[in-house]
Amino acid sequence: MINNAIQNVQSQTKVIAIMGPTASGKTAAALEIARHIPAEIISVDSALVYREMDIGTAKPNAAELAAVPHHLINIIDPSEAYSVAQFLLDTERLVREIQARGKLPILVGGTMMYFKALLNGLDDLPGAVPAIRAELDAEAMRIGVPGLHARLYALDPITAARLQPNDSQRIQRALEIITITGQPMSALLAQKTKTEPAFKMLSLSLEPSDRSVLHQRIASRFDTMLEQGFLEEVRTLRQRSDLHPDLPSMRCVGYRQAWEYLDGTCSYEEMRELGIIATRQLAKRQLTWLRSIPERIVIDCLAPSASAEILRHALQNAES
């Protein structure tokens, strides 16, 4: 029966998506499927796209990368940007190519804005205007990013409320949209109509039955990263003249805190605590977003059988 199910999986247009907060075991679950079904993994992670950022992003190790073909990992330099639109184009192309090879595409990651684009399509918002960006950059230098956040709050409180006061990229983008359109971004998004995804997707979500245990996992993983040389990784990146803390790559969780420690603005203990807190906050945001997907199948990521449950649902889906 399992052999028939495997053949059915390969003939379906449906894609398996393994979602979940950080440290929930998504990679292990994807590899468990790939041990039974010919598959290729597409990373849904905005940090894994960067080269030279291995330890702090918890990239799959060399053995894992060799065991199953992985995509959208190590594809750009940390000085570059990778947009949601580009992710969508790359993923739709990769899904077609993987299916043409008779394999199952497995989408794995925790970058929820990428999953949102796959499920709902891109937001129909205006493109960037360099002159306006330059003005906002100059204003940020004068009043600081929290000052820009306060300005956004007066113009678009809905958008400002969901952004961190130091999230310079998204705050400036929201202000740019107001300048171009004369309307708050929240109003434009409310007018958007949902589009059909490019392919069918079975959404499997690894979520903790006890959030405190996930927090322990997060702390343990951060300590392991430090032991593996995370600070040396960031120290090497800081030596490059083209990298600075405001780049999207250096705003990844943990990297900003490590950069500040190496700048001497906080102690080692403060860096460790702030890095763990930032990762917990990321997990909280991820879980909040996941609850907005009613069709997802929730699997307890703390259960010893989590990976086996993921495989069972993949095979059952093939038989239906």
Side-chain angles (χ1 to χ4, degrees):
M1 185 173 70
I2 289 181
N3 287 336
N4 289 337
I6 291 172
Q7 291 174 359
N8 287 337
V9 168
Q10 291 174 267
S11 67
Q12 297 295 313
T13 58
K14 189 168 283 188
V15 173
I16 302 293
I18 302 178
M19 310 171 174
T22 185
S24 60
K26 299 181 291 293
T27 296
L31 292 172
E32 177 65 17
I33 293 177
R35 277 199 294 269
H36 295 82
I37 302 169
E40 297 186 27
I41 293 172
I42 302 173
S43 171
V44 187
D45 191 305
S46 61
L48 298 192
V49 297
Y50 297 112
R51 295 186 288 269
E52 302 177 38
M53 295 172 59
D54 303 328
I55 299 172
T57 60
K59 274 182 189 162
N61 60 40
E64 291 168 338
L65 291 172
V68 183
H70 286 68
H71 304 276
L72 303 188
I73 294 178
N74 294 329
I75 59 173
I76 64 170
D77 187 81
S79 63
E80 301 171 330
Y82 187 69
S83 68
V84 180
Q86 188 60 54
F87 166 80
L88 200 58
L89 289 172
D90 288 342
T91 299
E92 291 177 357
R93 171 182 55 80
L94 285 166
V95 165
R96 291 194 301 270
E97 292 173 355
I98 293 168
Q99 289 175 335
R101 289 191 284 270
K103 294 184 179 181
L104 171 70
I106 308 176
L107 299 171
V108 185
T111 298
M112 300 310 169
M113 63 178 176
Y114 286 0
F115 277 122
K116 181 180 178 182
L118 289 171
L119 290 167
N120 301 328
L122 285 175
D123 298 320
D124 188 17
L125 298 174
V129 177
I132 295 175
R133 286 282 175 94
E135 290 175 5
L136 290 168
D137 285 339
E139 188 173 2
M141 293 292 292
R142 290 196 307 273
I143 65 174
V145 177
L148 287 183
H149 185 261
R151 180 184 159 200
L152 177 62
Y153 208 97
L155 298 170
D156 185 358
I158 295 175
T159 299
R162 65 178 178 80
L163 299 180
Q164 296 295 318
N166 62 351
D167 191 344
S168 59
Q169 184 182 27
R170 292 185 176 87
I171 291 169
Q172 288 180 279
R173 174 60 174 155
L175 288 169
E176 178 185 41
I177 287 169
I178 292 172
T179 304
I180 295 170
T181 68
Q183 299 182 65
M185 186 165 74
S186 57
L188 293 173
L189 294 179
Q191 298 168 10
K192 180 182 180 294
T193 57
K194 184 173 180 178
T195 59
E196 286 298 316
F199 44 79
K200 297 177 181 178
M201 192 160 66
L202 175 68
S203 300
L204 305 175
S205 182
L206 286 163
E207 301 176 29
S209 54
D210 184 343
R211 197 171 294 190
S212 67
V213 178
L214 181 68
H215 289 174
Q216 293 170 12
R217 280 191 183 182
I218 288 170
S220 176
R221 189 167 78 167
F222 196 81
D223 285 336
T224 299
M225 289 175 178
L226 291 171
E227 293 168 2
Q228 291 174 340
F230 176 44
L231 289 177
E232 287 304 315
E233 180 174 272
V234 179
R235 186 175 283 112
T236 299
L237 292 167
R238 288 177 79 253
Q239 293 172 352
R240 291 180 44 171
S241 60
D242 59 342
L243 299 182
H244 55 82
D246 290 328
L247 285 170
S249 60
M250 294 299 104
R251 288 203 303 272
C252 291
V253 168
Y255 284 85
R256 178 186 291 276
Q257 291 77 21
W259 192 292
E260 291 173 351
Y261 165 68
L262 294 172
D263 271 345
T265 59
C266 66
S267 69
Y268 181 89
E269 291 75 18
E270 290 171 330
M271 176 275 299
R272 175 186 177 275
E273 181 178 2
L274 290 171
I276 291 171
I277 289 172
T279 311
R280 288 178 178 175
Q281 291 172 338
L282 170 62
K284 181 180 179 180
R285 293 193 298 272
Q286 290 168 320
L287 288 166
T288 297
W289 185 87
L290 286 166
R291 287 196 292 270
S292 70
I293 309 176
E295 66 271 22
R296 79 195 191 284
I297 297 172
V298 178
I299 296 165
D300 182 6
C301 68
L302 306 179
S305 61
S307 291
E309 277 291 291
I310 289 278
L311 175 61
R312 182 175 68 84
H313 281 289
L315 293 174
Q316 283 181 345
N317 175 68
E319 293 175 332
S320 61

